[in-house]
Amino acid sequence: MQIVVDVADMKLSKSKSDVIITYSLGSCLGLVAYDQVNCIGGILHSMLPVAKDKSEADTNPYKFVDTGVTYFFNKLFEAGAEKRNLVVKAAGCSNIINQGTVDMFNIGERNYLILRKILWKNDIFIASEEVGGNIPRTVQLEIMTGKVSIKNAGTERYL
Amino acid sequence: MAYNMLIVDDSRTVREIMKKILRLTGIEIGMIYEAANGQDGLRCVKTEWIDLVLADINMPVMNGVEMVRKMSEDGLVSTVPVIIVSTEGSTTRIEDLKSKGVRAYIRKPFTPEEIRDVINDVLISVHSVTNPKTIQKDLAILAGAICEVLSKYAMMFGEFGDKKTVFNEKKYFQSHMVYRGMRSSGICINADKEFCRNLASNVLGIENDDIKDENAKDALNELLNVTCGQYLTRKFGETPVFDLAMPAFSEIDSQQFTKNMQKSDSIHIKVDDLDLVAFFKE
């Protein structure tokens, strides 16, 4: 079954027939985590780096990278994933050019830096990544194999 | 195998970062030694067993370039891989360090993942027995070395190739030794007890009936010892320095012998209808 992750959301699965996908990551972060032993994985799709308003973060923690990553990992651990087995991959965080102007706020880069900070503080390496640039990306995770693919402009590659 | 690491940097912060990265790499780490300058680093390399050095360039007392130069003079750079992690950007300096044997260079600032990748690459290149093609090639070199030693030492003809399975109740001898240096691994030889008796008889030049088990055991250990030196010379040339441990001896049964023979990373040598199996074992 295909499970779609919307913007400011996350989905995880332990069913081997599932494929999790999130479309059109621009400056948003697409974070993929997969427990290669227990075959549990998920994708987080966060929009903004930091929740400045606590109530907004409480309503939807996945909207922000700082709260989203923490919630995402906690949900994975509740589902049975173990930290030592996790393979973490990052995508997105690009600097999308919109109508000829570059994103002045550097949201993509800030998203990426917040992610790196959280992972480093929690002793987690990024196994591989495709971040930055100015292209939108669609990211997909196969639960059976843990394979992560990225699609954009008609091309597909494994991460 | 657990790797002993040495971090040479005058910044305590950088040393802490490096220690954390090393712990996160998943590489089996033994000791992590620290030094705040090249002089202390050099002393550590000379007194402790170090498998990898991560060193800065600009440090008080003795800088990283001087440390590498002294290590190079003492032949230590060929046996202990060094990775330079520094803000230094001069291409000439980097090329000079690489010509002295430095394995890799990482420019500060770095991401933890960059350090991890370089450490992995260096350790794989130094201790590469993971690639199946390399193993097969190395096994052929090892078998060639054994046959040469058998021929010169014991006037015995060995040929290697097809594996065969042996089922009998005989006892087998096993000798194992470790070498450490620019690459580290272990070599193990399993042999038919009868073969070891013949080997001892030929090496010592006395009749087979006069051979005791002790002689057979010593002969196998000696075969492995000389083979190990011959293998390293064939594989790495004359220059590199290796530390060879004493061969360790044990007796195994036919079941274990057959199991070792069937391993994909073992090679079977036939000597006058007797069996010998060699493989790499850390």
Side-chain angles (χ1 to χ4, degrees):
Chain A
M1 190 176 78
Q2 190 180 73
I3 302 171
V4 178
V5 185
D6 292 327
V7 179
D9 197 7
M10 75 95 197
K11 288 282 187 301
L12 49 93
S13 169
K14 51 173 109 172
S15 167
K16 288 191 178 170
S17 58
D18 284 349
V19 172
I20 304 179
I21 189 164
T22 195
Y23 293 100
S24 299
L25 287 165
S27 60
C28 290
L29 163 71
L31 184 67
V32 185
Y34 182 74
D35 178 328
Q36 50 197 343
V37 176
N38 298 304
C39 296
I40 302 169
I43 298 181
L44 166 73
H45 187 146
S46 292
M47 286 172 73
L48 298 167
V50 183
K52 290 190 173 137
D53 181 351
K54 190 175 178 298
S55 64
E56 208 180 350
D58 288 344
T59 317
N60 186 359
Y62 302 118
K63 186 174 175 182
F64 306 98
V65 176
D66 66 341
T67 47
V69 171
T70 314
Y71 271 74
F72 176 53
F73 279 117
N74 283 340
K75 291 286 179 195
L76 277 167
F77 299 145
E78 280 171 25
E82 292 174 76
K83 188 173 164 184
R84 59 187 169 156
N85 305 327
L86 277 189
V87 176
V88 176
K89 300 181 178 181
C93 304
S94 54
N95 192 4
I96 294 288
I97 297 166
N98 193 7
Q99 292 177 340
T101 55
V102 175
D103 170 18
M104 302 260 296
F105 299 104
N106 295 316
I107 300 294
E109 192 177 348
R110 284 166 194 260
N111 281 338
Y112 177 61
L113 292 179
I114 294 289
L115 169 74
R116 295 236 350 242
K117 185 170 74 177
I118 295 172
L119 295 182
W120 175 237
K121 288 192 171 180
N122 286 281
D123 297 344
I124 296 170
F125 272 137
I126 298 172
S128 59
E129 64 185 15
E130 190 186 303
V131 292
N134 50 23
I135 53 167
R137 300 174 175 96
T138 289
V139 177
Q140 177 178 293
L141 166 68
E142 289 177 18
I143 297 298
M144 188 186 287
T145 57
K147 276 186 184 169
V148 178
S149 59
I150 291 192
K151 288 179 197 168
N152 107 290
T155 62
E156 182 175 8
R157 55 239 171 233
Y158 286 108
L159 191 60
Chain B
M1 188 178 103
Y3 298 101
N4 289 346
M5 307 289 190
L6 169 63
I7 304 163
V8 190
D9 200 304
D10 55 330
S11 158
R12 191 182 302 162
T13 307
V14 172
R15 297 202 300 270
E16 289 302 319
I17 295 171
M18 291 299 179
K19 279 198 280 183
K20 179 161 170 160
I21 293 172
L22 287 172
R23 283 198 302 271
L24 289 180
T25 52
I27 297 165
E28 208 180 324
I29 305 288
M31 296 292 293
I32 300 180
Y33 298 95
E34 291 179 58
N37 58 60
Q39 197 175 68
D40 290 348
L42 195 62
R43 194 177 302 129
C44 188
V45 171
K46 285 180 176 173
T47 52
E48 307 293 341
W49 182 272
I50 302 292
D51 293 296
L52 182 72
V53 179
L54 293 158
D56 187 16
I57 290 182
N58 298 314
M59 293 178 289
V61 186
M62 182 192 285
N63 65 27
V65 176
E66 187 64 9
M67 185 186 86
V68 169
R69 193 182 64 77
K70 286 190 184 295
M71 281 179 71
S72 182
E73 279 173 9
D74 294 346
L76 286 165
V77 184
S78 59
T79 55
V80 185
V82 178
I83 298 173
I84 294 290
V85 186
S86 175
T87 46
E88 172 81 43
S90 151
T91 319
T92 324
R93 173 68 64 80
I94 295 160
E95 288 309 315
D96 178 46
L97 285 166
K98 285 193 172 165
S99 73
K100 288 194 170 66
V102 163
R103 301 297 173 107
Y105 172 80
I106 302 164
R107 181 116 180 246
K108 290 177 186 171
F110 50 78
T111 65
E113 284 83 4
E114 282 167 357
I115 299 276
R116 170 201 60 187
D117 293 346
V118 172
I119 291 173
N120 275 334
D121 287 350
V122 169
L123 286 178
I124 284 171
S125 74
V126 173
H127 304 271
S128 72
V129 238
T130 46
N131 180 332
K133 276 187 185 166
T134 314
I135 292 175
Q136 289 312 314
K137 208 172 146 194
D138 287 353
L139 281 172
I141 297 173
L142 177 62
I146 292 174
C147 290
E148 185 180 340
V149 178
L150 282 173
S151 164
K152 282 188 178 165
Y153 240 52
M155 293 69 79
M156 294 169 102
F157 181 74
E159 28 184 4
F160 53 98
D162 295 339
K163 293 177 184 181
K164 67 166 192 169
T165 312
V166 194
F167 296 104
N168 57 35
E169 296 302 314
K170 288 192 290 187
K171 281 279 175 199
Y172 292 86
F173 285 173
Q174 172 169 286
S175 188
H176 169 229
M177 74 183 282
V178 175
Y179 61 88
R180 302 187 84 165
M182 64 183 287
R183 295 199 186 169
S184 304
S185 188
I187 296 176
C188 195
I189 294 182
N190 289 182
D192 200 300
K193 187 174 168 182
E194 193 53 37
F195 164 82
C196 295
R197 291 179 61 84
N198 288 351
L199 178 72
S201 162
N202 289 10
V203 170
L204 296 170
I206 54 177
E207 288 305 316
N208 207 325
D209 295 342
D210 298 329
I211 296 295
K212 301 185 181 71
D213 273 5
E214 279 301 303
N215 302 128
K217 172 187 147 182
D218 290 347
L220 183 66
N221 279 345
E222 190 53 24
L223 170 68
L224 177 59
N225 193 24
V226 182
T227 293
C228 190
Q230 184 63 19
Y231 164 76
L232 293 173
T233 308
R234 282 180 172 218
K235 182 156 173 64
F236 302 109
E238 301 284 348
T239 328
V241 180
F242 286 91
D243 269 5
L244 307 184
M246 296 288 291
F249 177 85
S250 55
E251 277 193 31
I252 55 172
D253 57 20
S254 59
Q255 205 181 353
Q256 185 60 47
F257 182 82
T258 310
K259 216 168 131 187
N260 290 340
M261 185 179 261
Q262 287 168 341
K263 282 165 51 165
S264 60
D265 58 349
S266 69
I267 192 152
H268 177 228
I269 298 168
K270 209 166 167 51
V271 190
D272 305 334
D273 283 334
L274 296 170
D275 302 301
L276 185 149
V277 179
F279 50 95
F280 296 103
K281 183 184 171 196
E282 291 192 353

CSV table of all heavy atoms in Angstrom, one decimal, chain A residues 116 120-128, chain B residues 17 20-21 24-25 110-113 116:
chain,number,residue,atom,x,y,z
A,116,ARG,N,20.7,18.9,11.5
A,116,ARG,CA,22.1,18.4,11.8
A,116,ARG,C,22.4,18.6,13.3
A,116,ARG,O,23.0,17.7,13.9
A,116,ARG,CB,23.1,19.2,11.0
A,116,ARG,CG,22.9,18.9,9.5
A,116,ARG,CD,24.2,18.4,8.8
A,116,ARG,NE,25.4,18.5,9.6
A,116,ARG,CZ,26.4,19.2,9.3
A,116,ARG,NH1,26.4,19.9,8.2
A,116,ARG,NH2,27.5,19.2,10.1
A,120,TRP,N,23.2,15.4,15.7
A,120,TRP,CA,24.6,15.4,16.4
A,120,TRP,C,24.4,15.3,17.9
A,120,TRP,O,25.2,14.6,18.5
A,120,TRP,CB,25.3,16.6,15.9
A,120,TRP,CG,26.7,16.9,16.5
A,120,TRP,CD1,27.1,18.0,17.2
A,120,TRP,CD2,27.8,16.0,16.5
A,120,TRP,NE1,28.4,17.9,17.6
A,120,TRP,CE2,28.9,16.7,17.2
A,120,TRP,CE3,28.1,14.8,16.0
A,120,TRP,CZ2,30.1,16.1,17.4
A,120,TRP,CZ3,29.4,14.2,16.2
A,120,TRP,CH2,30.3,14.9,16.9
A,121,LYS,N,23.5,16.1,18.4
A,121,LYS,CA,23.3,16.0,19.9
A,121,LYS,C,22.7,14.7,20.4
A,121,LYS,O,22.9,14.4,21.5
A,121,LYS,CB,22.4,17.2,20.3
A,121,LYS,CG,23.1,18.5,20.2
A,121,LYS,CD,22.3,19.6,20.9
A,121,LYS,CE,23.1,20.9,21.0
A,121,LYS,NZ,22.5,22.0,21.6
A,122,ASN,N,22.1,14.0,19.4
A,122,ASN,CA,21.5,12.7,19.8
A,122,ASN,C,22.3,11.5,19.3
A,122,ASN,O,21.8,10.4,19.2
A,122,ASN,CB,20.1,12.6,19.3
A,122,ASN,CG,19.2,13.5,20.2
A,122,ASN,OD1,18.8,13.1,21.3
A,122,ASN,ND2,18.8,14.7,19.7
A,123,ASP,N,23.6,11.8,18.9
A,123,ASP,CA,24.5,10.7,18.5
A,123,ASP,C,24.0,10.0,17.3
A,123,ASP,O,24.0,8.7,17.2
A,123,ASP,CB,24.7,9.8,19.6
A,123,ASP,CG,25.4,10.4,20.8
A,123,ASP,OD1,26.0,11.5,20.6
A,123,ASP,OD2,25.4,9.8,21.9
A,124,ILE,N,23.5,10.7,16.3
A,124,ILE,CA,23.0,10.0,15.1
A,124,ILE,C,23.7,10.6,13.9
A,124,ILE,O,23.7,11.8,13.7
A,124,ILE,CB,21.5,10.1,14.9
A,124,ILE,CG1,20.8,9.4,16.1
A,124,ILE,CG2,21.0,9.5,13.6
A,124,ILE,CD1,19.3,9.7,16.2
A,125,PHE,N,24.3,9.7,13.0
A,125,PHE,CA,24.9,10.2,11.8
A,125,PHE,C,23.8,10.2,10.7
A,125,PHE,O,22.9,9.5,10.7
A,125,PHE,CB,25.9,9.2,11.3
A,125,PHE,CG,27.3,9.5,11.9
A,125,PHE,CD1,28.1,8.4,12.3
A,125,PHE,CD2,27.8,10.7,11.9
A,125,PHE,CE1,29.3,8.6,12.8
A,125,PHE,CE2,29.1,11.0,12.4
A,125,PHE,CZ,29.9,9.9,12.9
A,126,ILE,N,24.0,11.1,9.7
A,126,ILE,CA,23.2,11.1,8.5
A,126,ILE,C,23.9,10.1,7.5
A,126,ILE,O,25.1,10.3,7.2
A,126,ILE,CB,23.1,12.4,7.8
A,126,ILE,CG1,22.4,13.4,8.7
A,126,ILE,CG2,22.4,12.3,6.5
A,126,ILE,CD1,22.4,14.9,8.2
A,127,ALA,N,23.2,9.0,7.2
A,127,ALA,CA,23.9,8.0,6.4
A,127,ALA,C,24.1,8.5,4.9
A,127,ALA,O,25.1,8.2,4.3
A,127,ALA,CB,23.0,6.7,6.3
A,128,SER,N,23.1,9.2,4.4
A,128,SER,CA,23.3,9.8,3.1
A,128,SER,C,22.2,10.9,2.9
A,128,SER,O,21.3,11.0,3.7
A,128,SER,CB,23.1,8.8,1.9
A,128,SER,OG,21.9,8.2,2.0
B,17,ILE,N,35.2,16.4,20.0
B,17,ILE,CA,34.4,16.1,18.8
B,17,ILE,C,34.9,14.9,18.2
B,17,ILE,O,34.1,14.0,17.8
B,17,ILE,CB,34.5,17.3,17.8
B,17,ILE,CG1,33.9,18.6,18.4
B,17,ILE,CG2,33.9,17.0,16.5
B,17,ILE,CD1,34.2,19.8,17.5
B,20,LYS,N,33.8,11.8,20.0
B,20,LYS,CA,32.4,11.5,19.8
B,20,LYS,C,32.1,10.9,18.4
B,20,LYS,O,31.4,9.9,18.3
B,20,LYS,CB,31.6,12.8,19.9
B,20,LYS,CG,30.1,12.6,19.7
B,20,LYS,CD,29.2,13.7,20.3
B,20,LYS,CE,27.8,13.6,19.8
B,20,LYS,NZ,26.9,14.3,20.6
B,21,ILE,N,32.8,11.4,17.4
B,21,ILE,CA,32.7,10.9,16.0
B,21,ILE,C,33.2,9.4,16.0
B,21,ILE,O,32.5,8.6,15.4
B,21,ILE,CB,33.4,11.7,15.0
B,21,ILE,CG1,32.8,13.1,14.9
B,21,ILE,CG2,33.5,11.1,13.6
B,21,ILE,CD1,33.6,14.1,14.1
B,24,LEU,N,30.7,7.1,17.4
B,24,LEU,CA,29.5,7.0,16.6
B,24,LEU,C,29.7,6.2,15.3
B,24,LEU,O,28.8,5.8,14.6
B,24,LEU,CB,28.9,8.4,16.2
B,24,LEU,CG,28.3,9.2,17.3
B,24,LEU,CD1,27.8,10.5,16.8
B,24,LEU,CD2,27.1,8.4,17.9
B,25,THR,N,31.0,6.1,14.8
B,25,THR,CA,31.2,5.5,13.5
B,25,THR,C,30.8,4.0,13.5
B,25,THR,O,30.5,3.5,12.4
B,25,THR,CB,32.7,5.5,13.2
B,25,THR,OG1,33.4,4.9,14.3
B,25,THR,CG2,33.2,6.8,12.9
B,110,PHE,N,34.7,20.8,9.3
B,110,PHE,CA,34.2,19.5,8.7
B,110,PHE,C,32.9,19.1,9.3
B,110,PHE,O,32.5,19.6,10.3
B,110,PHE,CB,35.3,18.4,9.0
B,110,PHE,CG,35.6,18.4,10.5
B,110,PHE,CD1,34.8,17.8,11.4
B,110,PHE,CD2,36.8,18.9,10.9
B,110,PHE,CE1,35.1,17.7,12.7
B,110,PHE,CE2,37.1,18.9,12.3
B,110,PHE,CZ,36.3,18.3,13.2
B,111,THR,N,32.2,18.3,8.6
B,111,THR,CA,31.0,17.7,9.2
B,111,THR,C,31.4,16.4,9.8
B,111,THR,O,32.3,15.7,9.3
B,111,THR,CB,29.8,17.5,8.2
B,111,THR,OG1,30.2,16.5,7.3
B,111,THR,CG2,29.5,18.8,7.5
B,112,PRO,N,30.7,15.9,10.8
B,112,PRO,CA,31.0,14.6,11.4
B,112,PRO,C,31.0,13.5,10.4
B,112,PRO,O,31.8,12.6,10.4
B,112,PRO,CB,29.9,14.4,12.5
B,112,PRO,CG,29.4,15.8,12.8
B,112,PRO,CD,29.6,16.6,11.6
B,113,GLU,N,30.0,13.6,9.5
B,113,GLU,CA,29.9,12.6,8.4
B,113,GLU,C,31.2,12.5,7.5
B,113,GLU,O,31.6,11.4,7.1
B,113,GLU,CB,28.7,12.8,7.6
B,113,GLU,CG,27.4,12.4,8.3
B,113,GLU,CD,26.8,13.5,9.2
B,113,GLU,OE1,27.4,14.6,9.2
B,113,GLU,OE2,25.8,13.2,9.9
B,116,ARG,N,33.8,10.7,9.5
B,116,ARG,CA,33.4,9.2,9.5
B,116,ARG,C,33.8,8.6,8.1
B,116,ARG,O,34.4,7.5,8.1
B,116,ARG,CB,31.9,9.1,9.7
B,116,ARG,CG,31.4,7.7,9.5
B,116,ARG,CD,29.9,7.6,9.2
B,116,ARG,NE,29.6,8.4,8.0
B,116,ARG,CZ,28.3,8.6,7.6
B,116,ARG,NH1,27.3,8.2,8.3
B,116,ARG,NH2,28.1,9.3,6.5
